[in-house]
Amino acid sequence: MSEPTGKYSITMPRDVAEAARARSGPSGLSAYVAAAVARQIERDNLNELIAVAEAEHGPITEEAIQARRDQLQRARVQQRQAGGADAV
């Protein structure tokens, strides 16, 4: 069952609205905007978590970030080599 919806009036630059409408496809502009807002909320929540973690443990270094990126890349390569063609 889908979530209940409400009707809202928003204001945005015309060029942004037209670009969104052009990309929205068959789901329509409302669904496209709702998905974009949901992604922004996820990002805001992640940023809040990062701020809490950094306050407790100190800032994350670029070296630590790169080490995790390298680790993820190695895992992806191993998955592909193991036959997980669907793995990304």
Side-chain angles (χ1 to χ4, degrees):
M1 185 186 309
S2 65
E3 292 291 322
T5 61
K7 189 168 184 165
Y8 302 92
S9 175
I10 62 168
T11 303
M12 69 175 78
R14 183 171 285 135
D15 60 334
V16 173
E18 291 305 317
R21 186 180 306 280
R23 292 178 174 266
S24 64
S27 62
L29 181 60
S30 291
Y32 189 87
V33 171
V37 171
R39 279 192 305 275
Q40 185 61 48
I41 291 168
E42 288 174 353
R43 288 180 180 149
D44 293 345
N45 290 340
L46 286 171
N47 284 334
E48 289 171 9
L49 287 172
I50 290 168
V52 169
E54 286 186 335
E56 186 173 335
H57 303 287
I60 301 169
T61 66
E62 286 299 320
E63 293 81 15
I65 293 169
Q66 188 59 50
R68 292 296 179 250
R69 285 183 177 143
D70 294 344
Q71 184 180 16
L72 285 170
Q73 182 60 29
R74 286 191 301 274
R76 287 181 182 125
V77 168
Q78 288 173 350
Q79 282 180 337
R80 277 190 233 116
Q81 291 172 346
D86 293 338
V88 177

